[in-house]
Amino acid sequence: MRVVYKGKERDLRALWYQNESIRFIDQRVLPHRFEFRDAETVEDVAVFIEDMTVRGAPSIGAAGAYGMVLAEINGMDLNEAAERLKRTRPTAFDLFFAIDRMLAAANDGVDMVDAADDYVDEIAEKCRLIGEHGNAIIPDGARILTHCNAGALATIDYGTALAPIRAAHKAGKKIHVFVDETRPRLQGAALTSWELVQEGIPHDIIPDNAAGHFMQRGEIDLCIVGADRITASGDFANKIGTYEKAVCAKENNVPFYTAAPVSTFDFSLISGFDIPIEERSQDEVRYVGSELICPETATARNPSFDMTPAKFLTGIITEAGIFKPGELDQAKLQ
Ligand code: MRU
């Protein structure tokens, strides 16, 4: 991703390994501050995943992969490290996929830094391919809705849902993006909008509950969202609110796509109801920043994800092409 940092345009990833530590773009303080945070231990990585310094399914997976490198450097038992990292956030499959791959690499005697670097480079390349395939479904002039942040910050580079959007823009198509603000943590308003500003892609942030209104009036031509876990049937979990958008899209005949690399697919599950859904602190709902926005004694619920059944999907954009939910091809995605 090209970003302007200290007055210069640079090529950066959401996180990378350097000097026996992991450097993360601190996603909690964007868009107003551009800062880094360094992790030197497995516990640092686990806390950074929990407090959302790093977020988005493939980026969490990359953090887990490099976290296993730190475990080896610090002489920690690898199985204990894997358990600690896997306890951080339960929904995104990439974390489990990446850690299991690192355990297998350690077992095979592969150098851990090489294994993690290869894993992360592969994910970035798969996201670039998602962009190429997804560009084909975006007509010139398209008005596209996206939810949460499924851009480079969430995926090391390029993005999943944002990769086809970047590719379409680069190809000269005149597109316009509707960005759901994505309460309660505002990943759309804070992060997706920031990425689109860096790329000069025209967009409007809309309140989360406005998408149905724009679809009903014919102002949205297609929806592309990311995914945190996709089952073998095509049911998938993504940021809370995705399900509602998919139902509204079907009602209004608006095509609805999810985009994800192989690391997000959990072929051991069929029904999306078996995907564990993280519930985060009620204070993320009760406060905006440090401001309490409800009565002191009010309580809140805060599911971080919801599950969208495959029947609402037009297609799944992957590095191997675009599949209908019924024709997911496990072999092609390896
Ligand atoms: O809670 P977050 O910010 O980690 O949730 C992120 C999402 O829901 C993204 O849409 C998903 O991880 C796909 S990112 C490529």
Side-chain angles (χ1 to χ4, degrees):
M1 112 184 89
R2 299 294 290 171
V3 298
V4 177
Y5 176 58
K6 294 198 169 158
K8 260 194 177 168
E9 202 178 310
R10 299 154 202 258
D11 225 351
L12 281 188
R13 287 182 160 188
L15 61 117
W16 62 94
Y17 179 76
Q18 59 175 33
N19 307 329
E20 304 200 339
S21 67
I22 313 169
R23 175 152 282 197
F24 294 84
I25 294 177
D26 188 345
Q27 300 193 34
R28 302 165 311 162
V29 299
L30 282 168
H32 301 303
R33 301 205 314 268
F34 191 86
E35 292 174 4
F36 301 109
R37 265 186 118 187
D38 294 326
E40 284 167 10
T41 65
V42 168
E43 188 55 28
D44 289 345
V45 178
V47 169
F48 288 7
I49 295 173
E50 285 164 350
D51 72 13
M52 299 187 60
T53 297
V54 58
R55 45 141 306 276
S59 284
I60 294 173
Y66 284 131
M68 294 299 286
V69 173
L70 297 186
E72 197 199 38
I73 288 172
N74 294 325
M76 188 175 177
D77 178 86
L78 291 187
N79 289 312
E80 266 176 37
E83 260 178 48
R84 173 66 185 102
L85 291 167
K86 285 181 177 181
R87 270 202 315 275
T88 52
R89 296 190 74 192
T91 304
F93 189 63
D94 305 63
L95 178 67
F96 304 89
F97 183 93
I99 291 171
D100 287 345
R101 196 160 126 174
M102 291 300 290
L103 284 172
N107 222 20
D108 293 345
V110 178
D111 179 85
M112 293 292 268
V113 178
D114 288 348
D117 280 345
D118 286 352
Y119 175 79
V120 170
D121 287 348
E122 253 175 50
I123 295 298
E125 172 58 11
K126 285 171 193 290
C127 288
R128 193 189 64 75
L129 289 169
I130 285 172
E132 274 187 12
H133 294 300
N135 181 19
I137 56 151
I138 300 182
D140 196 8
R143 297 155 303 171
I144 308 157
L145 178 81
T146 192
H147 190 65
C148 193
N149 171 262
L153 290 165
T155 67
I156 302 299
D157 211 347
Y158 301 104
T160 51
L162 282 199
I165 290 171
R166 278 177 207 276
H169 176 72
K170 211 170 158 195
K173 293 179 189 171
K174 299 260 170 293
I175 54 170
H176 189 90
V177 186
F178 284 81
V179 178
D180 288 333
E181 59 178 351
T182 318
R183 280 276 293 148
R185 292 193 65 101
L186 300 171
Q187 290 95 328
L191 305 178
T192 300
S193 178
W194 180 80
E195 287 197 38
L196 295 175
V197 166
Q198 307 298 312
E199 301 272 333
I201 301 178
H203 64 283
D204 287 309
I205 299 165
I206 60 170
D208 284 327
N209 36 20
H213 165 80
F214 287 115
M215 289 190 213
Q216 195 178 45
R217 297 196 167 211
E219 292 193 39
I220 291 173
D221 301 305
L222 77 152
C223 308
I224 312 179
V225 300
D228 286 85
R229 194 184 291 227
I230 304 178
T231 72
S233 67
D235 291 352
F236 73 105
N238 191 50
K239 179 53 56 197
I240 192 73
T242 301
Y243 169 54
E244 286 180 3
K245 307 295 175 272
V247 173
C248 266
K250 189 148 192 116
E251 163 74 10
N252 291 285
N253 294 315
V254 176
F256 195 95
Y257 292 88
T258 187
V262 60
S263 51
T264 306
F265 286 78
D266 182 354
F267 287 104
S268 75
L269 299 182
I270 305 291
S271 168
F273 286 109
D274 292 330
I275 299 174
I277 298 290
E278 175 185 13
E279 187 147 348
R280 294 183 62 85
S281 162
Q282 57 173 322
D283 282 348
E284 291 185 349
V285 178
R286 298 173 70 243
Y287 288 81
V288 172
S290 55
E291 186 96 12
L292 181 69
I293 56 162
C294 59
E296 189 87 53
T297 53
T299 55
R301 294 288 303 272
N302 186 16
S304 195
F305 302 96
D306 59 23
M307 191 279 287
T308 301
K311 69 177 179 185
F312 292 106
L313 270 177
T314 310
I316 304 175
I317 310 166
T318 74
E319 65 270 28
I322 302 177
F323 298 96
K324 294 228 170 295
E327 46 178 57
L328 270 177
D329 192 328
Q330 180 164 8
K332 282 197 186 143
L333 281 172
Q334 293 312 312

